[in-house]
Amino acid sequence: MIEPSVPTAPGVPAPREAVAGARLPVSVRTGRFLVLLGVFICAACGLVYELELVALGSYLIGDSVTQVSVVLSVMVFAMGLGSLAAKRLRCRAAAGFGMVEAVLALVGGCSAMALYAGFVWGGEARALLVAFSLAIGVLIGAEVPLLMTLIQRIRRQDAGGAVADLFAADYVGALVGGLAFPFLLLPVFGQLTGALLTGAVNVIAGGGLVLWLFRHDLSRRSRRLLVIVNVGVLALLAAAAILVDDFERAARRAVYGPGVRVAVQTEVQEVVLTGPVGGPLNLYLDGRLRVSGRDEHRYHEALVQPAMAGPHGRVLILGGGDGLALREVLRHSGVRQVDVVELDAEVVALARRDPALVALNKGAFADPRVRVVHADAFQWLRTAPASGAGVPAAGSAYDVVISDLPDPGITASTKLYSQEFFGLTGRLLAPDGRFAVHAGSARTRPRTFWTVDASVRAAGLRTVRYGVDGRLAGFAAGPDRGSAGRQAPQGWGFVLAGHTKPGLGLDDGYRYRSLTLGVLEAGARRVERTRVDVGPSTLVHPRY
């Protein structure tokens, strides 16, 4: 078959990329397949880099919606810049593509470590997140024009057909990369090693394609340079992979201090337990201080005990895998059954076996009255037995429901503080039952607090509000910059609800470490002074 020639001006030689019939070590069909395979692999790697930035940005900075928006918008913009910049490389498409892939593999592979290091030792991750999104986007954007030139070097075809082939391989590769990240790379290798491994695959695929398939398009100097660059990138990625465990240990010491006792990445979150044996215990979930042994009793007494002032034979705890809310519930001898619905099974396992945490929760999970269900609280509530009228089925109503879930300010927790969630909770609440939920700090985030209250009321429950002083849970910031566990007291806010308006009181038969009726009433007055006019949060209109 004779390929049509590309017209040029009289007397002007055709540019190199316009000349079809590259010298290949394989057949034309095999050559096209190898180029499309390279497109597939590079697209998969590019999407992994993108998801790494989104995941690590959300983990380090918080507010996942914002991080996704920043990364996607900056990368798409940068891809346009990269496509324009690639015009200058089309005359040396093979060498240009090889160099682009080597730089992309190095930048993308090391991006997670660099972003984490910037957060840990520099205290700033936002600027690095934008910079890496921009750099990776420019390099990814340069790929398609260069690959278009290379595939036309093998066999010229109409532009529409070539673009269709390239984009088909690109989109399928993106699908594979998008699925490999959460189901393979993240659970098996972790964020740092997963990014480095992706970089290695990227540089091997890109370098191998150019140095073997298009080796006749390269000058001797270009081949030598590409070999040196690709080997150097592989060596750097391998060295980083070897040192990644030491890097993670050093980063944890910088973030949490020298007393890290347990650090594990579960299928749900990173769990870190710090504190010397016999000293105050701190539990961090995804970098946020969840439990501080110095004053956790103030939080858990305030969350649980006002709800236990009424009937409390059957109790439901949503979350609370550390066992500390459960400890407060089991202080009451009238409790017959406690169901704990906790998503992360490894947090519960830690609360059962870690000596310091077991001492803190008084071995609560060993009590025969306790039943643990590992499930998402929202989904579990949806499938909990109830009649068609929304009334709990016989024997399934709870006298007390405690919501000890992640902070409402975390994007991933938004559905757990929605009107729909509270409506599902109300279905399982006995007519005279009580429902207690942590609503954030009314002092520092009044809109969040009053949105929780509005959402509970919109679900048909009547509420009273109160608060107590305590530390504000947040990100670990390192021992030298003041960790979250050492912040000044900020206060916790709570909402107590029921089908009828509950009274704010305590069971007189118990002695509390820090809680009194006067403390509750004073906290209720302080909370009322922060009132703001807000609407409820729903699944389709989150307001947190």
Side-chain angles (χ1 to χ4, degrees), residues 303-304 307 315-319 325 329 400-404 434-436:
L303 172 65
V304 173
V315 180
L316 171 65
I317 300 177
L318 303 172
V329 168
V400 176
V401 178
I402 306 293
S403 180
D404 188 19
R434 294 181 170 211
F435 169 48

Side-chain angles (χ1 to χ4, degrees), residues 141-322:
E143 289 177 333
V144 171
L146 297 177
L147 286 165
M148 181 75 170
T149 302
L150 291 177
I151 203 168
Q152 293 284 57
R153 290 275 294 133
I154 296 175
R155 180 172 66 85
R156 184 161 303 282
Q157 66 183 112
D158 65 282
V163 169
D165 291 342
L166 284 175
F167 280 0
D170 185 84
Y171 294 153
V172 174
L175 171 66
V176 172
L179 294 177
F181 177 72
F183 297 116
L184 175 64
L185 293 174
L186 197 57
V188 175
F189 300 103
Q191 288 184 324
L192 304 186
T193 304
L196 294 169
L197 180 62
T198 303
V201 171
N202 197 167
V203 73
I204 291 172
L209 181 70
V210 170
L211 290 170
W212 181 67
L213 187 62
F214 292 98
R215 60 179 180 267
H216 296 298
D217 283 10
L218 300 172
S219 65
R220 181 175 301 176
R221 180 180 178 184
S222 296
R223 281 199 299 270
R224 186 182 302 114
L225 179 61
L226 280 176
V227 168
I228 292 172
V229 169
N230 279 268
V231 170
V233 169
L234 273 175
L236 288 173
L237 293 173
I242 293 171
L243 298 173
V244 73
D245 289 338
D246 293 334
F247 172 83
E248 286 192 66
R249 283 192 290 270
R252 287 196 186 102
R253 285 195 298 271
V255 172
Y256 302 108
V260 176
R261 298 175 49 245
V262 176
V264 59
Q265 178 69 51
T266 74
E267 294 183 359
V268 178
Q269 60 202 338
E270 183 190 51
V271 180
V272 176
L273 205 57
T274 71
V277 177
L281 180 76
N282 290 324
L283 174 64
Y284 295 88
L285 302 180
D286 275 345
R288 296 177 177 88
L289 180 64
R290 179 66 174 155
V291 172
S292 172
R294 292 182 177 87
D295 63 358
E296 60 80 19
H297 63 278
R298 304 178 71 183
Y299 168 83
H300 289 102
E301 281 189 345
L303 172 65
V304 173
Q305 296 304 339
M308 299 293 288
H312 49 254
R314 295 189 77 237
V315 180
L316 171 65
I317 300 177
L318 303 172
D322 49 44

